Amino acid sequence: MMKVVPTVEGGLRIEVGTATDWLVLEQIAPDALKMEKESLPSRLSALMDEASEWDEMVVPELSDLFHSQLHCVQKIVQGARKASEEDPSLGHLFISQEDGPSWYGALNQARIALEGYYRFGPAQEIEEVESFPPPKRSAFIRSQFYSALQSVLLEHVIE
Amino acid sequence: MNPLEATSATTLTDEETKASTELASAWNILVFDDPVNLMEYVTKVLQKVFAYPREQAEDLMLTIHTAGKALVWTGAREPAELYVQQLHGFQLQASLEKAGS
């Protein structure tokens, strides 16, 4: 089981117990890119009028920002996994206070994409979840995990 | 009045006049409820972007949550666009509308 512990430096330490835990962490970025055809910056832009030229002026900047969040998370997870393979006593990763907003943003992107793609909500009834086909059920469980990690980030890392 | 100013004023096109009027009028920033963003996060973002005190940000967040949307700021179009850009950067659903429309 994964354990998430606040650090004295104001970040988080995630103790990763199994290969499945690593897979879940590695899944954050691919999950976030699940709705790439209907990207988050474009969906936000749809809320603006044409006169704002949001698509030309803001969407590229938002795309860069959101991709940089995913890149940050991917790099940390890959680095930590590699270190743990070389030395199994290092089965953990750190989220520094500085990286907290990127982690939060990446997890948010993943949840937005999963909920849009599989069309479930955060407060789904347990009976309904049990009837989901396996890919949707595991996506829902990942989404719940991402949400829980976001709550810990909000409580201990993000000011 | 400086004759040059008078000349330049009279040569403004309808488009320019419309643009400057739009910039000068008041615009509302609306934030919409969504099923993903956590309530505490929305509060923190409103505090960060608008420098609102915790209590005011919390009240707005609760309005967003219960009414589906809230008017979070009113002012000139230019700063409003910058605020909305920041809100989108924090992945909140925000839009602009002309005040009184």
Side-chain angles (χ1 to χ4, degrees), chain B residues 59-97:
Chain B
D59 283 349
L60 286 168
M61 176 278 292
L62 285 172
T63 306
I64 294 166
H65 184 64
T66 52
K69 65 179 176 181
L71 196 173
V72 298
W73 191 85
T74 300
R77 173 138 190 160
E78 224 169 299
E81 284 186 345
L82 288 173
Y83 282 137
V84 173
Q85 191 174 343
Q86 287 183 63
L87 293 168
H88 284 182
F90 286 113
Q91 302 176 23
L92 295 197
Q93 295 192 11
S95 76
L96 262 186
E97 68 168 29

Side-chain angles (χ1 to χ4, degrees), chain A residues 104 107-108 111 145-154, chain B residues 38:
Chain A
Y104 190 96
L107 292 164
N108 224 42
R111 289 181 54 227
F145 167 71
Y146 298 159
S147 174
L149 187 51
Q150 283 185 305
S151 296
V152 184
L153 282 164
L154 277 179
Chain B
L38 303 177

Side-chain angles (χ1 to χ4, degrees), chain B residues 6-18:
Chain B
T7 309
S8 69
T10 52
T11 54
L12 280 179
T13 63
D14 286 351
E15 199 63 32
E16 283 167 332
T17 310
K18 191 180 162 211

